[in-house]
Amino acid sequence: MRLPRLSPTTLADRAATVLRDNDTGALVTASPKLYPHMWSWDAAFIAIGLAYLDVRRAVTELDTLLSAQWSDGMIPHIVFTEATGYFPGPDRWGTDAVPQCPPHVRTSGICQPPVHAIALRRIVDTARRASQADVELAETFATRAWRPLYRWHRWLARHRMSESCGLITIVHGWESGMDNSPRWDSPYAHVRPGPDLPPYVRLDTLGVEDPDERPSDDEYDRYLWIIEQLRRADYAPEAVVTNSDFRVGDVFTTALFAMACDDLADLAHESSLEVPGKVADLRAWAARAREAVAHNTDPDTGFAYDRDLRNGDTSKTTTIAAFSPLLCSALPDRLERRLLEELTGPGWAGHPELHAAVVPSVSPNDPGFDARRYWRGPQWPVMAWLFSFAFHRRGWAELARQWRDQGLRLVSDGSFGEYYEPFTGEPLGSTQQSWTAAVTLDWLHSW
Ligand code: 9WN
């Protein structure tokens, strides 16, 4: 049963309260119960929302994340707080002895999509609409954060841009941020947990009303087995791309990388940073990433597909990630229009039975669609925000407004669900999810 829709003012107040309640001072946890730590891409979206409350606090969020950056440039996917209650925690990751990991924090040993430069640029823009003091704060931070972010992008370009297909390689489904998406079913079929997988007890299923909203036990065994493989390779960047049984060229992450490289290059230009060689690198990586997305796109439909790097197979699974080319402007006009029609048509965001007309993680017409299970059907507000933001950037103002309005419809009960049942709009997974609150604030303030 859904709660009544809140007015924009009340919704904004509630969103701000979520961010404040989840704030430990140095970081905003991804959610209070299920995810009591900092997640890399969540932190970027959270910082975008925080900027509407306090630009200084938004800067602190990214600062905290950057202070956990590994010495080789990787930004880890989790920065752990002292909280217990999430598994796998720092002991299971075993990164304490890894030389690249900074000594003052405990982190996981993999990464997540590189949306941080996109967030930084958004925060600078938000500050410019606020006060002169905020502009100075944001621009000074942008200058300070620029080099660490460049090093992060260089790490991805060096260690993760596949030489064979140009896509960014992920070595664990968690690196995509879309953990149990059907995109990964076939690559995970290669992952066979060994008898020496140390025993463990799941805690995530305790944080939701119905364990069926989370990945299955079988999937968890595979997630934990890959961690074991990466840990045994000491998380060395050259080793993990050969040691993990899961090695996939991820079109969605690659599209985000293209966007983020351009944003970082633009920020250098706007801040008059004297880094011409590095800007040239970023432009070249953006072009390469965009090309790779285009190259891994079906020439008739425009759908983009991941590549299993173990055997070179192109995925045939169509999910929300198939629309990656629209994020980074990878396609010629005709194909782009075709893809956009598909996204907004009855198979996807325009499905007549949807509660809110934004993209579900899997098409309701797909036989594998599961309306309640995590990345296998539900709508994720943060994903709807990403597309609406990209539409706005692309100059598709009307479409951006429609998606903002529909996104707000999805979150308008003020529970800030992690994801939503597409037909009823019921919040699922965690509630008081910080990135949902953050993108709500952005929607309420923009275009
Ligand atoms: C594993 C925190 C994270 C998000 C991911 C989402 C989920 C973790 C989990 O929660 O992943 O990293 O335990 O399920 O899939 O996108 O960053 O919100």
Side-chain angles (χ1 to χ4, degrees):
M1 169 73 87
R2 278 178 70 80
L3 302 168
R5 295 180 68 176
L6 303 176
S7 72
T9 318
T10 312
L11 193 61
D13 282 351
R14 295 260 179 103
T17 303
V18 167
L19 294 183
R20 292 199 181 104
D21 286 353
N22 293 348
D23 191 354
T24 66
L27 61 88
V28 174
T29 60
S31 74
K33 220 168 126 191
L34 188 55
Y35 308 115
H37 307 288
M38 172 182 254
W39 262 258
S40 165
W41 76 329
D42 297 51
F45 293 109
I46 290 167
I48 290 174
L50 285 172
Y52 294 102
L53 310 179
D54 178 359
V55 171
R56 190 180 295 278
R57 183 62 193 78
V59 162
T60 302
E61 195 67 11
L62 292 181
D63 248 343
T64 300
L65 182 67
L66 290 176
S67 73
Q69 181 171 28
W70 284 21
S71 61
D72 59 6
M74 185 184 81
I75 295 186
H77 110 290
I78 302 178
V79 181
F80 290 105
T81 63
E82 294 298 316
T84 52
Y86 178 82
F87 180 84
D91 292 338
R92 184 70 175 217
W93 284 96
T95 51
D96 290 346
V98 174
Q100 310 91 284
C101 184
H104 63 283
V105 278
R106 304 192 80 191
T107 77
S108 67
I110 57 171
C111 60
Q112 267 190 330
V115 289
H116 314 90
I118 301 172
L120 180 56
R121 185 137 190 243
R122 184 73 179 157
I123 291 164
V124 171
D125 285 346
T126 302
R128 286 188 181 137
R129 295 199 302 271
S131 66
Q132 189 50 35
D134 282 337
V135 178
E136 276 165 30
L137 206 61
E139 288 183 351
T140 307
F141 177 66
T143 306
R144 182 154 56 80
W146 200 91
R147 283 180 176 78
L149 287 176
Y150 171 81
R151 288 178 47 243
W152 163 221
H153 287 210
R154 188 179 60 191
W155 183 89
L156 285 164
R158 271 193 190 154
H159 298 295
R160 295 301 187 87
M161 250 186 164
S162 154
E163 278 180 16
S164 60
C165 67
L167 294 173
I168 297 286
T169 306
I170 57 168
V171 297
H172 194 302
W174 283 345
E175 291 202 316
S176 72
M178 298 189 192
D179 314 1
N180 72 336
S181 168
R183 300 167 74 187
W184 314 133
D185 287 353
S186 164
Y188 268 128
H190 300 297
V191 180
R192 300 206 180 83
D196 49 339
L197 173 67
Y200 67 95
V201 177
R202 284 180 71 172
L203 299 175
D204 60 301
T205 42
L206 306 176
V208 292
E209 272 187 18
D210 175 1
D212 283 351
E213 293 167 20
R214 295 282 306 170
S216 67
D217 286 348
D218 193 45
E219 285 166 330
Y220 252 74
D221 274 355
R222 292 180 157 84
Y223 301 162
L224 269 297
W225 179 245
I226 299 175
I227 294 178
E228 216 44 44
Q229 294 186 312
L230 304 180
R231 182 184 168 139
R232 289 173 193 177
D234 294 327
Y235 301 102
E238 305 77 23
V240 296
V241 286
T242 51
N243 280 38
S244 171
D245 279 341
F246 182 103
R247 299 193 294 276
V248 183
D250 172 345
V251 279
F252 196 76
T253 295
T254 308
L256 293 174
F257 184 58
M259 286 171 84
C261 283
D262 276 337
D263 276 352
L264 199 54
D266 290 346
L267 277 167
H269 182 67
E270 288 171 20
S271 317
S272 310
L273 281 178
E274 289 299 324
V275 282
K278 293 185 168 63
V279 168
D281 287 343
L282 289 163
R283 296 287 184 212
W285 297 333
R288 229 172 108 197
R290 208 168 266 118
E291 244 170 62
V293 172
H295 189 70
N296 286 278
T297 290
D298 181 287
D300 296 321
T301 59
F303 286 146
Y305 290 110
D306 306 302
R307 188 83 73 101
D308 191 333
L309 299 174
R310 283 173 50 113
N311 51 21
D313 284 357
T314 295
S315 160
K316 298 277 179 293
T317 310
T318 308
T319 68
I320 184 174
F323 299 100
S324 305
L326 297 175
L327 296 175
C328 67
S329 184
L331 300 180
D333 287 354
R334 183 196 59 79
L335 203 51
E336 183 162 272
R337 272 199 302 278
R338 163 89 191 70
L339 189 60
L340 196 53
E341 273 167 25
E342 183 66 31
L343 175 63
T344 52
W348 289 88
H351 189 285
E353 287 165 48
L354 293 187
H355 167 77
V358 293
V359 65
S361 42
V362 170
S363 165
N365 297 340
D366 188 300
F369 171 81
D370 183 340
R372 304 183 71 84
R373 201 187 276 270
Y374 216 35
W375 290 97
R376 294 181 179 272
Q379 290 163 314
W380 288 68
V382 71
M383 291 296 112
W385 182 86
L386 245 184
F387 278 95
S388 67
F389 173 71
F391 297 158
H392 177 67
R393 279 269 183 94
R394 306 282 321 270
W396 304 336
E398 186 47 36
L399 190 60
R401 263 194 299 277
Q402 282 168 16
W403 278 52
R404 175 203 59 193
D405 293 347
Q406 290 298 312
L408 284 171
R409 178 177 167 78
L410 193 62
V411 298
S412 63
D413 69 351
S415 60
F416 303 104
E418 187 184 6
Y419 42 98
Y420 287 79
E421 208 275 6
F423 303 126
T424 61
E426 179 190 346
L428 300 173
S430 164
T431 53
Q432 315 305 307
Q433 183 82 10
S434 298
W435 66 4
T436 305
V439 300
T440 300
L441 282 175
D442 193 83
W443 269 327
L444 286 168
H445 283 89
S446 43
W447 66 85

